[in-house]
Amino acid sequence: MPFSKVSGRNNAHKVVVYALSTCVWCKMTKQFLKDNNVEFEYIDVDLCEEKEKARIREELQSRSGGLSYPTTIVDDKIVIVGFKKDKLKEALGI
Amino acid sequence: MTEITIETVLKRAEADARTYGYYLNPDPELLQGLLEGLKVNEERYGYPSCPCRLASGKFEHDRDIICPCDYRDPDVAEFGACYCRLYVSKEVFEGKKEPPTVPERRPLEKQSRAYLATSELKAETVEMQKVLTGKDTAKVVEPKPKLWYCKQCGYVVFRDEPPYICPICKAKREMFAEIKTLIEFVV
């Protein structure tokens, strides 16, 4: 399953959200980004194929040290675990 | 088979909260979202695994994250809410306390079961985790269950930590004491 893209006027940063389709905090993160017109990509890991999950595991663990959702990565360097409005605002300058 | 509805998921959570002295999240929108996630997981896997964690779909691997998960008691005791925030303490329910984002207490080794086993972690990744989390994930110390008794009613339970309240007489967790007596079996 590829990443889904949500377009937005606020596209200065590369924003990637690792999420679960069942997780309310992941939904809130996506909604928060939409409400702020932020362009982002997301992937619902629970709906991915096994091979894809394994790849995501490597990616998430090496970047955040854990496997928690949502994990938002801004510009390939700022890692935000959980739905944290303040951290998201700060990283995105909104 | 009985149909799984938001109502059945809610009823079960309410009953469990009553028995164990917890409260359900007071935010109606959040509660609805959590119940929907549980419903989807119950339909998908046959058991209501935590909506905020990735399940493997294998019961024996997901047993510890079936709601109410094994981590609820220590998380509510420490933070006032469980990992997904379905269950909260009285103080949080009454708005006297705002819980922080609850960190994942489930050992990484158990979390990894939801991912393909072939992808063994690279040594550098394990190194990186030590730096990021300050923990050596290669060595996971599992808590050992003990026998606890309620000093008020005598209820006895075998688990890692005393329960949040006594499910029988509702005494507070402080009323629990560890049973250290050595039991010898005479044949």
Side-chain angles (χ1 to χ4, degrees):
Chain A
M1 190 176 145
F3 282 86
S4 307
K5 191 169 179 172
V6 178
S7 303
R9 280 199 305 274
N10 216 328
N11 57 5
H13 298 277
K14 186 190 172 203
V15 182
V16 181
V17 182
Y18 292 90
L20 298 177
S21 71
T22 53
C23 167
V24 67
W25 299 100
C26 301
K27 278 185 199 140
M28 285 167 82
T29 303
K30 292 174 194 165
Q31 194 56 50
F32 176 78
L33 295 172
K34 280 181 199 161
D35 291 346
N36 285 282
N37 240 306
V38 175
E39 185 158 300
F40 68 100
E41 285 181 16
Y42 72 90
I43 191 158
D44 286 326
V45 182
D46 58 321
L47 304 178
C48 290
E49 286 181 13
E50 294 307 315
K51 262 190 191 164
E52 186 68 12
K53 282 182 193 166
R55 200 194 57 75
I56 290 166
R57 175 193 173 190
E58 289 284 338
E59 176 80 12
L60 268 185
Q61 272 190 259
S62 62
R63 282 175 178 270
S64 72
L67 293 168
S68 298
Y69 301 95
T71 294
T72 307
I73 302 177
V74 181
D75 294 330
D76 287 316
K77 57 174 193 281
I78 305 168
V79 180
I80 303 164
V81 180
F83 174 50
K84 291 173 184 147
K85 266 191 212 174
D86 293 349
K87 290 252 169 83
L88 286 168
K89 279 185 185 170
E90 195 188 319
L92 298 167
I94 54 173
Chain B
M1 211 181 123
T2 337
E3 201 199 340
I4 304 154
T5 63
I6 291 292
E7 193 60 22
T8 57
V9 179
L10 174 65
K11 284 244 164 71
R12 187 174 51 210
E14 279 175 340
D16 196 85
R18 258 197 311 275
T19 305
Y20 293 98
Y22 296 112
Y23 292 81
L24 297 186
N25 198 300
D27 181 331
E29 212 176 310
L30 199 57
L31 180 62
Q32 181 70 17
L34 289 163
L35 297 171
E36 278 167 15
L38 281 168
K39 178 178 179 279
V40 170
N41 278 350
E42 191 168 353
E43 286 164 345
R44 193 188 284 170
Y45 305 118
Y47 44 81
S49 66
C50 178
C52 296
R53 290 175 167 119
L54 184 66
S56 71
K58 294 189 187 80
F59 176 79
E60 65 275 22
H61 288 170
D62 297 336
R63 202 163 38 188
D64 62 320
I65 53 165
I66 295 174
C67 187
C69 70
D70 286 6
Y71 313 100
R72 176 184 67 174
D73 291 358
D75 278 340
V76 178
E78 187 173 346
F79 304 108
C82 68
Y83 182 67
C84 74
R85 294 205 191 198
L86 174 61
Y87 293 100
V88 299
S89 67
K90 191 166 188 261
E91 294 75 45
V92 170
F93 180 77
E94 289 171 350
K96 291 177 189 158
K97 190 183 150 189
E98 178 65 30
T101 301
V102 178
E104 177 60 290
R105 190 183 291 273
R106 190 184 193 209
L108 198 58
E109 167 258 323
K110 288 192 177 177
Q111 293 179 53
S112 306
R113 294 170 183 168
Y115 302 82
L116 207 64
T118 49
S119 110
E120 278 315 311
L121 280 186
K122 294 184 199 115
E124 63 192 85
T125 308
V126 175
E127 254 333 285
M128 183 73 178
Q129 274 159 24
K130 275 193 221 169
V131 176
L132 288 168
T133 62
K135 279 184 224 157
D136 190 343
T137 48
K139 291 176 210 151
V140 180
V141 186
E142 291 244 6
K144 286 220 166 64
K146 300 166 189 157
L147 275 173
W148 302 91
Y149 78 101
C150 172
K151 289 194 267 188
Q152 188 164 287
C153 73
Y155 166 74
V156 173
V157 62
F158 184 62
R159 50 187 285 159
D160 299 340
E161 286 176 66
Y164 191 63
I165 62 157
C166 174
I168 305 301
C169 75
K170 310 290 176 204
K172 285 186 178 169
R173 146 180 273 229
E174 291 74 30
M175 285 301 281
F176 276 85
E178 194 188 333
I179 300 177
K180 287 182 175 163
T181 318
L182 182 71
I183 303 168
E184 283 188 56
F185 293 95
V186 183
V187 186

